[in-house]
Amino acid sequence: MKSGFTAIIGRPNVGKSTLLNQILGQKIVIATDKAQTTRKRIKGVYTTKEGQIVFIDTPGVHKPLNKLGEFLLDEAKIAVPDADLILFLVDGSEPAGKGDKWIAENILKTDIPVIIVMNKVDKTKKIEKIESNLLTYKTLFKKNYPIVKISAKTGRNIDTLIKNIFKHLPEGDLLYPEDIVTEETMRDVTEEIIREKILINTSDEIPHSVAVKVEKYQENDDIDRIYATIYCETKSQKGILIGKNGNLLKKIGTEARIDLENIVDKKVFLGLEVKVEKDWRKKQSALKNFGYQQNNE
């Protein structure tokens, strides 16, 4: 039996969270087409008769512009040293860019095995274009790393990827009980799902300016009662989030509640309010309050 940790590293929007959800067969991490959708390292546990892969989903790597950006970059960097294997996830429909080169030179200079995973290969039907793009990723490294072409969205070649991952993991017992899929709490899951609905329903700077905090989570046999606050940086953002006659906030709340009811398999009451926390992304104290701080591990 084999078991170990596999870190998923890549630029924003290459499909890291979509890949993890596809492998696990259920939604444990939020996925949208917006940058910074993933803000924290999230563990997903995949168990079969061959063994166990503990995936570590990380924020997309990009140049930090504020304290939050620094935290996101650190979250990706921290995942690398403790991993047994790294999946360098790239957009296979495009050639390697500056961001990919920066990751290769600054994060992936390591003795830990790397698999280059070319995602989104279903976006182009020209095989020669895929092969041409493949070469641009291979040349980022001096070592000859294996390459697997996949589609995280459709599940294409995921079984091949899993086989390749197991090849690189050490022999060992299960790291988590076999029925565990994630170590995230329902508070964590709730905050992320509310944030996902904000990402989907808003545009411009708002998705990046928002943090969500569950203030109270009451579990009961027949209904879970959840009270959460959405924090933004300006009064104008607050007005947009609430919407005319409170319509947008109601929409966000309804969509989040439906997802949560599917997860906990019972009724959910979700109470939302919006508050302004000016320039919170630049303040260490605010980052700490919203859970964007490094764990001592």
Side-chain angles (χ1 to χ4, degrees), residues 102-121:
W102 191 91
I103 292 169
E105 291 175 352
N106 293 275
I107 294 181
L108 299 182
K109 280 198 170 174
T110 172
D111 293 328
I112 297 164
V114 173
I115 297 175
I116 300 171
V117 184
M118 291 184 71
N119 189 26
K120 305 187 184 183
V121 291

Side-chain angles (χ1 to χ4, degrees), residues 11-12 20 34 67 82 88 144 149 153 180 183 198 217-218 237 255 280 291:
R11 290 186 293 107
L20 184 52
K34 303 244 173 78
K67 291 283 184 188
D82 294 332
F88 178 34
N144 190 24
K149 302 169 198 166
K153 196 173 183 180
I180 293 287
E183 58 180 28
I198 296 166
Y217 195 119
Q218 295 175 320
Q237 289 171 355
E255 291 178 5
W280 70 262

